[in-house]
Amino acid sequence: MEKIDIFRLNNKKSESLIYPAVIFIILNILFFSILLLFVFKSSSGALVYEQVYAKQIAIIIDRAKPNMEISIDFSEGIKIAKKNKLSEEQLKEIVKINPEENKVTVSLSHKGGYSFKYFPDYFVSSDFKENQLILNIKEKEVENENSE
Amino acid sequence: MRILNKKGAEKLFSIWWFFVLAIVGGGITIGVLMHYSADIDVRYLESDILYDKINDCLVNQGFLINGLITKTVDIFNKCNLEKSLFEEEGDFYFKIEISDKDNKQIFSNDEKQVFTEEKDVGLTNGEEIDKKFSDLDRVKKAIKEKNSACAPYADRIVESSNKYGIDSLLILSLMMQESNCKKDASSESQIFGFEQGASYGLMQINGKNECGKHGLDSDKEKCKNELFNNPELNIEIGVKILKSKYNDFGGKVTEEKLLSCEKCCHDSNYIKKYASYTGDSLALRGYNGWGCGKNADTNFVENVRGRYNELGGSILTSNFETECKIQEENEDGEKIEAKYFPKCTIKEENILYYESNEIKKGVIKIITASNQEGEKFMIK
C-alpha cells in the first residue's frame, strides 16, 4: 500500500495552489497584529496618561481644602515613564506643580508633557513615596509666613 | 472539479486586497489617533467644583456671610481663588446674584449679563426656574427620597412655610425629628404625663403650654384629640411656635440670660453650647426647650440640622448643564459677546441674611463656568 504523507505536496500544481493561500493568511494575521499592537500602544501611551494625570491632579487640588495631604496612586505613570527610559532623577520630576502659575505639569517621556491649571489660591507641594504621589495643600499666606 | 487554478491564486493578492487592507488600516489608525489625542472634557466638572467652593465659603448653614452685600468682603480672598485666572486669563468665570424675598436684586459681583441656553433640563416647557423648582417640588422630592410617611403633609408644610417665612425643608426636618411624621406620636408615659409637659402629634406640641391657645380646646382630652387628629392644625401651631422662637431672648442668647432663666439649663458646658446658637439653630433650641436634664435632647439642633442637610439643605434648584453666553459693553456702549463658556453651572439657593440687625430671607444665584483648555507641549 502506498504511504501517504499529508505534509508533502504531491505535485507542482497543488504547490502553486497552497503556498499563496498560506502566505495570504500569514500576511493578514501580521497586518491585524500590527494594528492591534498600534491600538494597544496608543491606549497605554504617555500622551494619554499625561493628560489624565494632569487633569486628575488639578481637579483634586480644586476640590481640596487647606492642610490636606492627598495620596494618589501613580504606579501606571511611573511604569510608562520607566518604559520611556527616564532616569531616576527625571522620575522625581515627572509631576511638577507651579504654585505661581497654579499649574500642574506631567511629563512621562523625553518628548513633552501636558499642563493643566487649578483655580484655588493654594500652595501645593508634591513628593513621591514609592508609587504614591503625595500632595500637600496649604494656604499661600501661611506658607509665606513660615518662609519668613 | 478544479477549486483553484493559477489565476485563482493570483486573485488572492490582487490590487483590491491591498486596497481593502489600506482602507481598514487607515481607518483604524485615524480613529485611534483621533480618539487618544482628543481632550478629556472636564470643564463641566470644574464649573461644578467652583460652584461648591464659592457656595461653601459664602453661605454657612443657610446664612450668608456678613459683608458680602456691603461689598466689604473680597470674594477671591475669602474663597481662596486665584484672581488672575478669572480676571486676566479668563479660564474661569463666576457671577453671584443675591435677591431679597421680593425678587429685587440686592447684590451682584459682575454687571455682565449672562445668557444661558438650557439643555436637557428634564422639566416642563420653558417655565421659569423658580416655578420649575417650587417649594412643593422640593418638599415632595425630599419626602419621596427620605420618608414617605410625611407625604400627606407636604402641602401644609409649604403653606405654613410661606405664611411664616421659614424654609419648608427645615419644617420637614423638624417634623421628622419630632415624630417621624406619625400623627399619633406622643411623649406621654406613666411617669411623664400631660401636667409634666408631654408633647403630642406631628410637631410634638407641648400640651400643658399650648392647650387653650391657637384655637385648641382648653380641655385636656379634647386638646390631645385635636393635636392627634388634626395634623394640619398641629403643623400650623408647630411652625407658629418655631417662628416665635426666633425672637427668644431678643434673637440672641447670652450665657447670663440663660443663667437668669429659671427653667433653663444651668450646666456651664451646655450654657456655652446653647449661647453659641443663632438664627435657625437658636429657634430650634428654643422650640425644644432650654433644659439639659435627663429628658432633654441636648443635641436636638444638631439632629435637625443633620436631617436638613440630608434633605438637600436649602438647595432650591438642581444643577443645569447649560451653555452660557456672557455679554459685556464695549467702548461704544454696544453689547458684545465677552466670552463663550460652553459649560457652566447655575444653581439657586434659599438663604438668610442680616440687614439692619434683622434676619431676612433671600435667594443666592451662582453661575460658574470653565473654559480651560489644557496645554500639550513638546520638547525639541
Side-chain angles (χ1 to χ4, degrees), chain B residues 66-188:
Chain B
N66 286 329
L68 185 68
I69 295 173
T70 51
K71 297 194 176 179
T72 49
V73 168
D74 177 6
I75 300 169
F76 290 103
N77 198 20
K78 177 78 186 164
C79 301
N80 287 110
L81 300 173
E82 178 57 48
K83 204 170 184 174
S84 62
L85 294 177
F86 291 80
E87 295 196 338
E88 288 162 29
E89 298 182 29
D91 288 327
F92 302 99
Y93 175 82
F94 69 86
K95 179 171 180 165
I96 300 162
E97 289 173 352
I98 299 167
S99 325
D100 62 15
K101 64 178 170 46
D102 302 320
N103 214 18
K104 192 181 145 204
Q105 195 176 97
I106 51 172
F107 173 84
S108 175
N109 70 316
D110 185 0
E111 295 314 314
K112 281 174 201 159
Q113 277 186 283
V114 179
F115 297 94
T116 59
E117 291 171 13
E118 289 163 23
K119 269 185 181 174
D120 192 27
V121 186
L123 290 156
T124 48
N125 321 307
E127 291 170 359
E128 294 294 317
I129 289 171
D130 54 354
K131 283 182 189 162
K132 284 173 189 167
F133 288 94
S134 70
D135 248 12
L136 191 58
D137 288 334
R138 293 167 68 214
V139 172
K140 281 184 175 170
K141 187 172 170 272
I143 288 172
K144 198 177 166 189
E145 284 169 8
K146 296 291 171 188
N147 192 341
S148 56
C150 311
Y153 316 117
D155 291 296
R156 194 62 190 194
I157 289 171
V158 175
E159 261 177 51
S160 304
S161 158
N162 292 335
K163 189 172 173 184
Y164 294 101
I166 295 175
D167 189 341
S168 50
L169 284 188
L170 189 66
I171 300 171
L172 178 62
S173 316
L174 176 61
M175 197 163 103
M176 286 165 74
Q177 176 66 25
E178 287 286 22
S179 64
N180 217 11
C181 297
K182 287 176 186 152
K183 70 178 181 124
D184 52 0
S186 166
S187 66
E188 202 174 278

Side-chain angles (χ1 to χ4, degrees), chain A residues 53-86:
Chain A
Y53 277 124
K55 288 186 173 173
Q56 193 182 29
I57 294 166
I59 282 168
I60 286 171
I61 297 170
D62 287 341
R63 273 226 184 275
K65 288 189 172 154
N67 302 320
M68 275 186 173
E69 190 181 273
I70 300 159
S71 169
I72 302 166
D73 178 21
F74 216 82
S75 46
E76 203 59 39
I78 291 171
K79 210 163 94 184
I80 292 164
K82 280 180 179 167
K83 213 189 273 176
N84 286 328
K85 292 173 184 161
L86 263 66

